[in-house]
Amino acid sequence: MRWSAAFIPTLRDAPADAEAASHQLLVRGGFIRQLHAGHYSLLPLGLRVHEKVAQIVREEIDAIGGQEFLLPAMHPASIWKQSGRWEAMGDEMFRLQDRGGADLALGMTHEEVFSHLATTLHSYKELPQVWYQIQMKFRDEPRPKSGLLRVREFAMKDSYSFDLDDEGLDAAFDAHHRAYVKIFDRLGLEAMPVQASSGAMGGSASIEFMVTSPAGEDDVLVCQSCTYRANVERGTSRLEPVLGSPSDEDVERFPTPGVRTITELENVEESAQAVNQIKTMVMVLDGEVTLALLRGDHQLNLQKLQDSSGAVDVRPATPEEAFEALGARPGSLGAVGVDGIAVFCDVALKERTGMVTGANEDDWHLRGVSVERDIDVNSWVDIREVQDGETCAECGGRLEIVRCIEAGHIFKLGRKYSTAMGISVLDSQGKAQTPTMGSYGIGIGRAVAAIAENHHDDSGLCWPLAVAPYHLLVTVLDVDDPEAMALADSVADLCGAAGLDVLVDDRDARPGVKFADSELIGIPYRLTIGSRSLSNGQVEFTPRVSGETAMLGKESCVEAVLDTILSTK
RNA sequence: CGGGCUGUGGCGCAGUUUGGUUAGCGCACUGGUCUGGGGGACCAGGGGUCGGAGGUUCAAAUCCUCUCAGCCCGACCA
């Protein structure tokens, strides 16, 4: 490809609204352009990277026996109603109607469609199956952001396994785990597997593959001493026991005029250090007012509450709702004596005595509260969010919180969808069995962005060879010099014949422009042909990452270039 | 969904407070001359219904109302 004929609209300035490095560089380098919020056009350069990522994913899923499909992106409401997710998915699903008024949805994921197809399976002899596709997903994200990192329309590789029993599911899950490790390795992404919440999908084991980046949206607990890694939506830590006061203490009301916060209460009541307070949070779970109790110095993790309650929709109550439920305003709320409202209590409050909490009357609190004696707890749950620096539950080491991009997610679905969609096979005894499923996703565009986040410098992108839009850029400095152009063409032909993707920068532009552009778009290797070194029979070979130039003889340069590139390929 | 901010040529911005010539600057783009190894210089050009609609006014990018779009933060700190 000749640059003079290519559409590579590079920009000197990034759009003002781009913050993430990948966002800025992908736009500046002419890889992507935004159509509207959360929807990006992939330009030729961007598509080349996208395709290379997809191909690596395809090869590794094929290698574990995956079979590729291409399913519709637009689905009838019926299959989503059958699985129960027509309601459960809420506003995140794009919905529309056809001319006949039939309800349709744009697929956010494809459990339903693959499960529907799997009703064609009838015998245990047909199992196991691993089915996958690389297809656009549509999600009406409340807040698309950061270029390709969070969008509303994106290509995703999603695979699904169907097995007769748990051993089979374990094997399919482990095979995907290994495949994902290989995929991210080939993509040049250091992705760590971490324990994760299963979220709305349900299921048991759930592992996310996380890439460290400040542009990410997930916080991961990383133990500095052992291999424990978990999303904060799932992770726990070891808590030092708190010495309580005697358990025979009586509950006592005391006035706290004007006190509204935990810190203020600490200042007016000697026994009320935050660890001795009960934080009462009024939440609304699927429309039901509910209390979530935490230690005063702890913080609620919404996802944990959602997971442990099984609720679909979780939000904090408005002050009005809280007042209606408990008769006091925020700042004086408590769960003592509360009846008829579900109470979820964090396990850190187990066996705690001598606690302080709101009295459900403005400007009054209670002391001497024994959690288990005085509060009617419906369920003990882990709903607190671990903070940076806490102690690892596995080894006692220090946990650090690391900002990450979720690049892949694998989990065991179990029989939820196979049951709902009516998949059934006969086992070797002739008895009907419901297969168990796994679901495994990688966002292709997000992987492109994650690679850009992790592989760039001040001058621009530095694509790993495996995903680079071109392997080699031949930069001709004097395009009017017939010898230079002839050499460039011959290098391009020979390297192309050897399997390399080659871009020739034949633009009549100043060297500075060409060098700056070459570094911006991040082709891994550059061969510079200029009359100055060419007069000595030499050309220059520069790896993008090191920037260190080696001189090569013009006759031997093709061989040397191929040696270098093919040996690292 | 709450809060904040922003919409002026392909990109980055000024002008809006205090309404008043032909809406301006840098980059990019077109033609030309020079230049020729790190975003070069000069000359001459093209491109904008100032997000949209309505209103106030002799006069609106500027004031008012509505609306659309985009970005950031928040959506647990009781």
Side-chain angles (χ1 to χ4, degrees):
Chain A
M1 185 73 201
R2 289 186 169 221
W3 195 318
S4 63
F7 181 62
I8 307 176
T10 60
L11 296 173
R12 191 177 294 204
D13 298 313
D17 49 29
E19 294 225 325
S22 64
H23 187 189
Q24 295 189 2
L25 292 171
L26 289 171
V27 173
R28 281 188 57 209
F31 293 79
I32 61 172
R33 265 315 114 93
Q34 179 175 292
L35 180 61
H36 62 137
H39 299 262
Y40 280 83
S41 304
L42 289 179
L43 277 37
L45 231 40
L47 180 60
R48 292 184 75 93
V49 178
H50 194 268
E51 295 271 276
K52 290 196 177 189
V53 170
Q55 183 57 28
I56 286 171
V57 172
R58 181 176 283 125
E59 286 169 14
E60 296 299 337
I61 301 300
D62 285 346
I64 59 168
Q67 302 161 79
E68 186 167 4
F69 290 57
L70 184 58
L71 308 183
M74 193 185 290
H75 307 167
S78 58
I79 60 170
W80 288 85
K81 286 177 177 164
Q82 197 176 345
S83 72
R85 292 207 291 182
W86 181 255
E87 287 78 26
M89 282 306 186
D91 292 336
E92 220 170 297
M93 188 151 72
F94 281 108
R95 297 158 205 258
L96 64 161
Q97 293 189 328
D98 67 14
R99 63 173 77 197
D103 286 324
L104 303 169
L106 297 179
M108 325 181 26
T109 173
H110 281 74
E111 278 81 3
E112 281 78 0
V113 183
F114 268 122
S115 298
H116 178 258
L117 281 171
T119 58
T120 310
L121 297 168
H122 296 299
S123 163
Y124 75 98
K125 294 175 186 169
E126 295 173 292
L127 298 181
Q129 291 285 326
V130 175
W131 294 353
Y132 79 99
Q133 63 166 350
I134 297 174
Q135 163 69 292
M136 299 311 280
K137 309 292 185 205
F138 297 86
R139 296 183 185 176
D140 192 354
E141 293 284 346
R143 194 176 151 203
K145 57 181 284 205
S146 306
L148 293 187
L149 280 173
R150 177 164 294 275
V151 290
R152 304 203 299 176
E153 174 180 355
F154 58 98
M156 177 173 171
K157 185 287 297 175
D158 49 323
S159 38
Y160 304 86
S161 61
F162 299 87
D163 287 277
L164 197 62
D165 51 30
D166 290 346
E167 291 71 40
L169 175 56
D170 290 347
F173 184 84
D174 292 344
H176 273 89
H177 193 295
R178 288 191 298 273
Y180 274 39
V181 169
K182 284 187 192 166
I183 287 167
F184 291 120
D185 185 50
R186 288 181 66 186
L187 294 180
L189 285 174
E190 285 184 30
M192 53 182 170
V194 315
Q195 296 179 25
S197 154
S198 304
M201 305 293 181
S204 45
S206 171
I207 290 181
E208 290 167 334
F209 287 80
M210 294 296 208
V211 177
T212 303
S213 165
E217 298 179 288
D218 284 277
D219 286 321
V220 174
L221 300 171
V222 176
C223 178
Q224 303 301 296
S225 308
C226 75
T227 58
Y228 181 74
R229 270 128 191 74
N231 195 306
V232 294
E233 294 177 346
R234 164 78 184 268
T236 59
S237 72
R238 181 188 300 171
L239 279 184
E240 295 305 317
V242 181
L243 295 178
S245 38
S247 54
D248 54 0
E249 207 175 35
D250 288 331
V251 176
E252 185 186 1
R253 258 164 60 97
F254 64 103
T256 49
V259 168
R260 290 289 175 270
T261 67
I262 285 181
T263 313
E264 287 165 11
L265 189 55
E266 275 186 308
N267 292 336
V268 300
E269 166 64 21
E270 198 180 335
S271 67
Q273 297 102 325
V275 292
N276 295 328
Q277 293 190 37
I278 302 169
K279 182 189 284 190
T280 306
M281 304 185 60
V282 186
M283 306 298 293
V284 179
L285 306 188
D286 292 341
E288 289 283 308
V289 170
T290 306
L291 299 185
L293 307 186
L294 290 151
R295 209 169 83 181
D297 57 332
H298 286 167
Q299 302 188 357
L300 176 68
N301 182 286
L302 274 184
Q303 187 66 47
K304 282 184 163 183
L305 178 60
Q306 186 166 6
D307 290 350
S308 52
S309 66
V312 172
D313 180 50
V314 173
R315 64 172 175 86
T318 64
E320 293 72 33
E321 286 169 325
F323 187 85
E324 198 178 319
L326 297 178
R329 286 180 297 160
S332 304
L333 301 176
V336 175
V338 166
D339 194 22
I341 297 178
V343 176
F344 288 89
C345 189
D346 187 72
V347 290
L349 290 173
K350 201 122 201 186
E351 294 173 17
R352 292 298 309 280
T353 57
M355 304 293 283
V356 176
T357 189
N360 286 335
E361 182 178 344
D362 286 352
D363 301 328
W364 287 85
H365 280 76
L366 304 176
R367 62 178 154 233
V369 174
S370 289
V371 178
E372 294 179 55
R373 180 192 66 194
D374 301 320
I375 296 175
D376 183 12
V377 174
N378 294 69
S379 47
W380 292 93
V381 287
D382 174 8
I383 52 175
R384 123 190 130 82
E385 184 166 302
V386 175
Q387 302 300 303
D388 190 73
E390 289 193 26
T391 303
C392 176
E394 307 260 323
C395 76
R398 181 188 155 83
L399 293 174
E400 281 190 11
I401 290 185
V402 178
R403 205 17 97 106
C404 288
I405 296 166
E406 179 189 344
H409 195 174
I410 59 177
F411 52 93
K412 298 179 183 176
L413 289 175
R415 295 185 167 79
K416 176 178 173 182
Y417 296 94
S418 42
T419 302
M421 305 306 286
I423 309 174
S424 174
V425 299
L426 295 182
D427 66 15
S428 57
Q429 320 309 311
K431 198 169 147 229
Q433 298 280 356
T434 301
T436 182
M437 293 173 61
S439 169
Y440 318 91
I442 291 181
I444 306 298
R446 180 178 285 181
V448 171
I451 295 167
E453 286 291 332
N454 279 211
H455 296 272
H456 70 269
D457 59 21
D458 291 345
S459 308
L461 295 157
C462 308
W463 295 110
L465 193 64
V467 300
Y470 292 93
H471 300 116
L472 177 68
L473 174 65
V474 179
T475 298
V476 182
L477 295 184
D478 305 288
V479 292
D480 295 329
D481 178 351
E483 189 195 349
M485 275 310 297
L487 180 60
D489 286 339
S490 119
V491 168
D493 287 348
L494 291 167
C495 290
L500 296 191
D501 296 330
V502 185
L503 178 65
V504 177
D505 188 354
D506 61 334
R507 295 174 299 167
D508 181 16
R510 299 182 64 85
V513 174
K514 301 183 135 196
F515 292 144
D517 271 348
S518 88
E519 281 148 19
L520 176 59
I521 70 171
I523 309 299
Y525 296 97
R526 182 176 77 212
L527 194 72
T528 309
I529 301 177
S531 49
R532 199 168 74 184
S533 38
L534 197 57
S535 63
N536 300 322
Q538 292 188 307
V539 295
E540 296 149 47
F541 186 59
T542 314
R544 172 66 181 87
V545 173
S546 72
E548 288 167 10
T549 295
M551 304 304 295
L552 302 176
K554 68 176 180 184
E555 270 84 29
S556 59
C557 68
V558 169
E559 197 182 342
V561 166
L562 288 176
D563 271 357
T564 304
I565 299 182
L566 294 177
S567 69
T568 47
K569 201 173 172 186

